[in-house]
């Protein structure tokens, strides 16, 4: 689903400033989410050269969180915390994203089962593409009755 107006990412992710690295949702699909971020000096980790590209992993992880939050919202759930387990094949061709420029982040689900997932992620920035595979985990909440049974055993 393409979004015709800019929707705030904070509606879908469980983060608060200064740890927000996604501005707007551009598009959702059954297996993907696309977001954008305007690089500003106010961003955490930003310095005079811009945002270091090593922060790309967080941009990708938050886009995955955006995907999970959109799926949860369809079921009436609030955004939940997830965990980044690791990354593979991350190559950073440049050192910084320059202030005043916009990056477009895409996260596409490759695998998802019982909270464990793998996503192929991509950041578009000017003439550059940064890609990586991220492994993530979103814990399944225990119902109160299961929690009582576990505590009693």
């Amino acid at each position: 689903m393409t979004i015709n107006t800019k929707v705030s990412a904070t509606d879908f992710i469980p983060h608060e400033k200064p740890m927000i690295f996604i501005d707007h949702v551009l598009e959702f699909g059954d297996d993907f989410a696309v977001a954008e971020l305007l690089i500003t000096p106010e961003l955490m980790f930003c310095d005079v050269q811009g945002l270091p590209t090593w922060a790309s992993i967080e941009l990708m992880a938050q886009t995955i969180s955006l995907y999970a939050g959109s799926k949860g919202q369809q079921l009436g759930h609030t955004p939940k915390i997830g965990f980044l387990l690791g990354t593979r094949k991350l190559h950073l061709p440049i050192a910084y994203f320059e202030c005043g420029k916009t990056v477009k982040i895409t996260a596409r689900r490759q695998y998802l089962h019982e909270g464990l997932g793998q996503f192929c992620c991509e950041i578009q920035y000017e003439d550059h593409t940064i890609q990586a595979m991220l492994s993530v985990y979103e814990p399944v909440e225990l119902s109160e009755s299961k929690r009582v049974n576990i505590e009693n055993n």
Side-chain angles (χ1 to χ4, degrees):
M1 167 178 71
T2 301
I3 311 237
N4 294 329
T5 60
K6 292 193 176 191
V7 176
S8 174
T10 58
D11 294 341
F12 301 94
I13 61 176
H15 292 70
E16 295 179 6
K17 288 186 177 189
M19 277 306 296
I20 296 176
F21 288 92
I22 301 295
D23 290 330
H24 301 102
V25 180
L26 298 179
E27 190 175 0
F28 287 124
D30 287 338
D31 66 346
F32 71 94
V34 182
E36 71 178 0
L37 172 68
L38 173 64
I39 308 301
T40 64
E42 294 78 28
L43 287 171
M44 183 179 273
F45 310 126
C46 228
D47 63 28
V48 293
Q49 295 177 330
L51 181 67
T53 55
W54 52 256
S56 295
I57 194 167
E58 183 63 24
L59 278 66
M60 293 173 177
Q62 287 192 21
T63 304
I64 293 169
S65 182
L66 186 72
Y67 168 82
S70 72
K71 294 296 181 189
Q73 199 173 76
Q74 292 172 6
L75 300 171
H77 301 147
T78 58
K80 296 189 323 187
I81 295 289
F83 298 96
L84 174 64
L85 300 178
T87 186
R88 296 180 320 138
K89 302 180 182 181
L90 177 63
H91 172 69
L92 303 173
I94 55 173
Y96 288 89
F97 299 122
E98 190 179 329
C99 285
K101 305 285 182 165
T102 300
V103 296
K104 179 180 172 183
I105 311 106
T106 302
R108 185 168 302 278
R109 184 191 74 223
Q110 301 297 303
Y111 172 83
L112 187 62
H113 181 70
E114 295 184 4
L116 185 63
Q118 186 171 53
F119 287 77
C120 180
C121 299
E122 180 176 285
I123 295 176
Q124 295 290 324
Y125 171 73
E126 296 190 324
D127 298 342
H128 304 282
T129 301
I130 297 173
Q131 296 178 319
M133 294 292 288
L134 273 64
S135 297
V136 296
Y137 179 68
E138 183 181 72
V140 177
E141 291 183 33
L142 293 175
S143 69
E144 192 60 38
S145 62
K146 287 182 183 177
R147 210 174 273 135
V148 169
N149 288 336
I150 290 170
E151 291 172 0
N152 290 335
N153 290 326

